[in-house]
Amino acid sequence: MKLYEYQAREIYMKYGIPVPKGEVASSPQEVRRIAEKLGSPVVIKAQILVAGRGKAGGILFAETPEEAEKISRNLLGKKIKGCVVKKVLVVEKVQFEKEYFLSITVDRDNRVYCFLVSRRGGVNVEELAKKHPEDLLRVNINPLVGLLDYQIRKILSFLSLTSNQKKDLYKIIKAMYEIMRKYDCELVEINPLAVTTRGDLIALDTRMIIDDNSKYRHPDIEEPEEEYTEYEKIAKEKGFSYVELDGDIGVIGNGAGLTMATMDLVFHYGGRPANFLDIGGGARAERVKEAVKVLLQHPRVKVILVNILGGITRCDEVAKGIVAAVKEASVEKPIFVRMMGTNEEEGKRILRSAGINVYESMEEAALAAVKVVR
Amino acid sequence: MILVNKETRVLVQGITGREGSFHTKAMLEYGTKILAGVTPGKGGQKVHGVKVYNSVEEALRENPSINTSIVFVPAPYAADAVYEAIDAEIKLIVVITEHIPIHDELRFITYARLKGTRIIGPNCPGIISPGVAKVGIMPGHIFEKGVVGIVSRSGTLTYEIAHAISKAGLGQSTCVGIGGDPIVGTDFIEVLKLFEEDEETKAVVVIGEIGGSMEERLAKWIKEKRYSKPVIAYIAGRTAPPGKRMGHAGAIISMGMGTAESKIKAFEKAGVPVAKTSREVVGILLKYV
């Protein structure tokens, strides 16, 4: 779960990390009021979850409250990188001399927390790692031991700071780690951490991603509305694991790996998968019916390919679900099914008597589906 | 065979739950020796003839030959169950549970490694040594005793490929599902080390998917160590879009890392053939064994 900048900012503030003064707004009038209160030139930042909003015109500057109101009138409601701007963060414009990059992530391969620090802030860190690896410092933190003082000293000495700035950064680093642990984060990032012309450290952008599996521990955090497509929303509501692609062959499978392999097979035979839809393990007829209906309704899907390997999932239940979906739907689309495993014969019988194509192997089924669209 | 053999004596943690009970029955039917189950507060009950205890310690006191645990405990309580098994000195713990918080996984896996306990999973189908025992949730009838070792990040896709290997008459020595989460207790390299020492295993099939760099590290290791057995790889997710979780928590291309192309390239560089379809895996295997 990615948080909006303003949500992360509130948490950072609670932990004593300095951020520019400001507030979040959802109307041009509010923006003006905040700018008046700040009494200085402001930065207006679109609150969207995709990266790279600056280059896409999502971060704008205003000298006066009037200008801020005018700018935000255009920005609010605008679509940036596919996301509609519903809120903006209005903050004082900070004059700064230097920018750094700080982040904590989970390093999945080494099974540790990783603190990444760069002497160059404000830029994309992946690019940085490629172009200036000498300016990047990695500190691995053992999850049982936690962040140690010597590790913080290593980070402090990597950046050229005054002794007062070092004291401040020490507190920021500690706070970041505390946030990482307290909020079950996958990412806590400050980019950039700026050194102002007055010599103060300040977090100009604040990012946080909370582990999806830990959401239940943080009921107080409002989940941002992510930009899902219409059908991603429908499938999500019904509890399916669903991802939209741009092809025309709808893919349903049981299990993530098998469903991905089915998509890949469609592509291998020259077709284009329209989606990834995993019905999970042990799905009953009702659930299968709902899954098939999602794809029957989807205008881009021309044919549906179902690949089931029965274990705890029973083929007869799947067959009943498919037949029920076809009966209830108002549209007709060719459906190709491959099923194998528990109650396979009964499943195939149900499908055949309803006139639905059923195959022995996933290769045959995928090939047949591809032929229809080509 | 590796990890699971005729000496395997199993404890089922979370045995009274729907999943725990269902798979206890299936494992017993397969011939797995399950000695006890644990669900705190439900001690004294029986599940498919298996006695339930309140704690792992109690279960081990009466059944000291237990050497393997399988965990079905729901995600919010799974970490506690794993620590309990580690502290009771059970040396192999198979964690089936999906959706465990990643910070919990980081900590109990680190703890287990310090204590010399092997964790398989979380979010995995478990382990099967065909004809001998299964400590997992896979449909047993798909597997046949044989010479191919399988290690995989996925469930049903493993069954698909195992089935094809069975049909080709090769069968499997052991299949290990290492799990679909970003953090797993045992990785590809560790399982391949075990397969290398196992006489029955004549070739290894690696089923990877998008996300992370476990496949890349394995490829590099195979090349550097000059791995002595033929390895065939399959990677799911060639068509997966970046930034989207494909079902498994760990199956995500993030910041340009973890693409299928990167993994395929790494294997090819290491001289490991990569099958384009799951059916092709068998075709390549037949050339080696």
Side-chain angles (χ1 to χ4, degrees):
Chain A
M1 173 170 70
K2 280 184 193 166
L3 297 192
Y4 288 120
E5 179 191 9
Y6 78 90
Q7 290 177 298
R9 181 178 179 273
E10 277 164 25
I11 293 167
Y12 281 38
M13 282 163 71
K14 220 162 73 184
Y15 282 77
I17 297 175
V19 295
K21 271 186 236 142
E23 277 173 58
V24 68
S26 42
S27 74
Q29 294 76 24
E30 266 181 279
V31 171
R32 183 185 178 129
R33 190 183 50 76
I34 296 164
E36 278 166 357
K37 215 162 90 182
L38 289 171
S40 73
V42 294
V43 189
I44 301 162
K45 306 169 90 177
Q47 296 300 289
I48 50 174
L49 297 172
V50 290
R53 67 186 163 162
K55 276 183 198 152
I59 299 177
L60 302 165
F61 300 89
E63 291 297 320
T64 64
E66 294 72 35
E67 198 188 349
E69 184 180 346
K70 204 177 129 203
I71 284 175
S72 59
R73 188 156 283 140
N74 289 327
L75 191 55
L76 281 161
K78 191 175 152 185
K79 237 185 182 180
I80 294 178
K81 295 187 126 185
C83 305
V84 180
V85 181
K86 289 178 186 149
K87 283 181 178 167
V88 291
L89 179 65
V90 187
V91 293
E92 58 174 343
K93 194 175 167 195
V94 174
Q95 302 292 334
F96 56 88
E97 283 173 344
K98 262 191 272 179
E99 293 173 278
Y100 297 121
F101 168 93
L102 296 174
S103 88
I104 314 179
T105 53
V106 173
D107 176 342
R108 52 192 284 183
D109 291 317
N110 295 307
R111 305 181 181 96
V112 291
Y113 299 116
C114 173
F115 215 121
L116 264 183
V117 186
S118 167
R119 296 188 182 115
R120 296 165 190 257
V123 288
N124 177 317
V125 69
E126 294 83 60
E127 245 177 75
L128 199 99
K130 274 184 209 140
K131 286 186 193 156
H132 303 282
E134 71 285 358
D135 285 329
L136 204 59
L137 174 72
R138 277 183 71 102
V139 175
N140 286 346
I141 303 161
N142 183 299
L144 291 180
V145 180
L147 179 63
L148 295 164
D149 263 6
Y150 89 87
Q151 294 175 317
I152 305 180
R153 288 199 299 274
K154 192 171 169 185
I155 296 170
L156 296 179
S157 63
F158 185 70
L159 307 173
S160 19
L161 299 168
T162 66
S163 63
N164 272 339
Q165 288 165 351
K166 280 185 180 173
K167 271 181 207 151
D168 291 343
L169 184 57
Y170 179 93
K171 284 184 209 148
I172 292 172
I173 290 170
K174 279 239 166 192
M176 285 176 76
Y177 184 69
E178 224 173 296
I179 293 169
M180 179 79 178
R181 294 294 298 265
K182 197 68 143 213
Y183 287 89
D184 293 294
C185 295
E186 284 178 8
L187 173 81
V188 173
E189 182 182 286
I190 300 178
N191 186 26
L193 175 81
V195 181
T196 67
T197 42
R198 288 213 314 260
D200 299 325
L201 298 182
I202 191 161
L204 290 192
D205 195 357
T206 48
R207 278 182 74 200
M208 256 174 90
I209 303 174
I210 293 177
D211 168 33
D212 283 335
N213 290 344
S214 304
K215 274 194 264 186
Y216 72 95
R217 288 175 177 164
H218 307 284
D220 48 319
I221 290 179
E222 198 188 328
E223 184 160 1
E225 237 181 85
E226 278 202 60
E227 294 292 325
Y228 291 117
T229 65
E230 191 188 344
Y231 287 88
E232 278 177 345
K233 268 185 208 155
I234 295 172
K236 216 175 126 85
E237 270 164 29
K238 296 193 169 145
F240 296 117
S241 182
Y242 181 92
V243 174
E244 189 127 324
L245 284 90
D246 54 8
D248 48 16
I249 300 176
V251 175
I252 295 175
N254 65 326
L258 187 67
T259 311
M260 268 194 276
T262 311
M263 285 166 42
D264 294 353
L265 198 59
V266 164
F267 186 74
H268 179 73
Y269 287 134
R272 299 181 64 202
N275 68 283
F276 164 97
L277 196 165
D278 176 9
I279 57 167
R284 306 299 295 264
E286 184 61 27
R287 192 168 159 76
V288 176
K289 185 182 89 179
E290 292 300 327
V292 176
K293 274 168 87 177
V294 171
L295 297 192
L296 279 172
Q297 287 160 11
H298 200 304
R300 199 152 28 73
V301 173
K302 290 194 188 125
V303 12
I304 298 170
L305 172 62
V306 184
N307 186 10
I308 300 298
L309 206 155
I312 48 172
T313 307
R314 285 165 42 186
C315 293
D316 57 326
E317 285 287 323
V318 172
K320 279 181 207 156
I322 295 171
V323 172
V326 171
K327 266 190 194 149
E328 282 180 27
S330 49
V331 274
E332 251 183 70
K333 289 178 187 179
I335 300 180
F336 299 90
V337 183
R338 178 283 178 119
M339 52 174 52
M340 186 178 91
T342 314
N343 296 0
E344 174 181 330
E345 289 315 315
E346 176 63 6
K348 284 180 176 166
R349 194 194 57 76
I350 294 169
L351 289 175
R352 285 200 185 106
S353 60
I356 294 167
N357 311 297
V358 54
Y359 296 83
E360 280 304 314
S361 73
M362 62 190 266
E363 286 80 7
E364 286 170 307
L367 204 53
V370 171
K371 268 188 189 150
V372 172
V373 254
R374 264 207 311 214
Chain B
M1 76 192 79
I2 62 168
L3 297 167
V4 166
N5 54 40
K6 62 181 195 311
E7 312 302 330
T8 299
R9 298 291 179 277
V10 179
L11 172 74
V12 180
Q13 291 181 264
I15 192 168
T16 54
R18 195 165 55 98
E19 299 275 309
S21 151
F22 178 88
H23 290 292
T24 294
K25 184 163 177 266
M27 283 188 281
L28 285 169
E29 282 166 359
Y30 197 76
T32 307
K33 295 187 182 72
I34 301 177
L35 301 194
V38 168
T39 299
K42 305 241 168 120
Q45 294 185 10
K46 280 207 165 177
V47 174
H48 305 296
V50 177
K51 200 173 162 192
V52 182
Y53 296 84
N54 283 318
S55 72
V56 175
E57 201 182 345
E58 248 180 73
L60 258 76
R61 205 180 298 135
E62 286 188 31
N63 306 278
S65 57
I66 286 171
N67 53 18
T68 304
S69 176
I70 181 165
V71 178
F72 290 100
V73 175
Y77 318 103
D80 188 59
V82 174
Y83 284 120
E84 194 183 352
I86 298 170
D87 285 341
E89 305 289 335
I90 296 176
K91 291 300 174 196
L92 175 62
I93 304 172
V94 179
V95 186
I96 305 295
T97 312
E98 192 180 355
H99 300 306
I100 300 177
I102 192 167
H103 289 242
D104 290 7
E105 295 178 341
L106 260 179
R107 284 196 285 276
F108 70 64
I109 287 169
T110 306
Y111 185 63
R113 294 176 80 86
L114 284 170
K115 297 268 284 184
T117 305
R118 184 185 295 285
I119 288 185
I120 301 288
N123 187 14
C124 78
I127 312 166
I128 184 168
S129 293
V132 180
K134 73 163 179 163
V135 181
I137 60 171
M138 57 286 274
H141 65 271
I142 285 173
F143 300 83
E144 297 280 349
K145 196 169 175 51
V147 296
V148 181
I150 302 181
V151 59
S152 172
R153 284 171 66 189
S154 134
T156 41
L157 180 56
T158 313
Y159 315 157
E160 175 80 37
I161 292 173
H163 176 74
I165 291 172
S166 297
K167 266 205 333 208
L170 294 173
Q172 307 85 26
S173 52
T174 301
C175 291
V176 185
I178 59 167
D181 279 357
I183 307 274
V184 289
T186 301
D187 64 16
F188 282 148
I189 294 177
E190 291 166 295
V191 177
L192 261 79
K193 276 183 192 164
L194 297 175
F195 277 135
E196 184 156 45
E197 289 158 18
D198 176 46
E199 272 186 27
E200 279 169 68
T201 304
K202 303 295 178 213
V204 181
V205 170
V206 176
I207 305 168
E209 62 188 26
I210 55 158
S213 62
M214 209 195 289
E215 291 82 0
E216 285 89 335
R217 281 186 297 124
L218 173 68
K220 197 164 162 256
W221 179 84
I222 287 173
K223 197 175 175 204
E224 281 170 8
K225 297 276 164 179
R226 300 186 185 179
Y227 194 71
S228 63
K229 295 184 179 179
V231 179
I232 293 104
Y234 175 81
I235 304 293
R238 289 174 195 245
T239 48
K244 299 273 186 183
R245 273 209 162 95
M246 307 301 284
H248 292 153
I252 179 167
I253 300 166
S254 71
M255 305 184 198
M257 296 263 296
T259 62
E261 296 81 71
S262 152
K263 295 168 191 302
I264 292 163
K265 225 189 252 167
F267 278 126
E268 283 171 350
K269 231 172 107 185
V272 173
V274 182
K276 285 192 191 67
T277 66
S278 54
R279 182 181 268 179
E280 228 183 78
V281 172
V282 175
I284 301 173
L285 257 179
L286 285 168
K287 283 189 216 160
Y288 290 98
V289 287

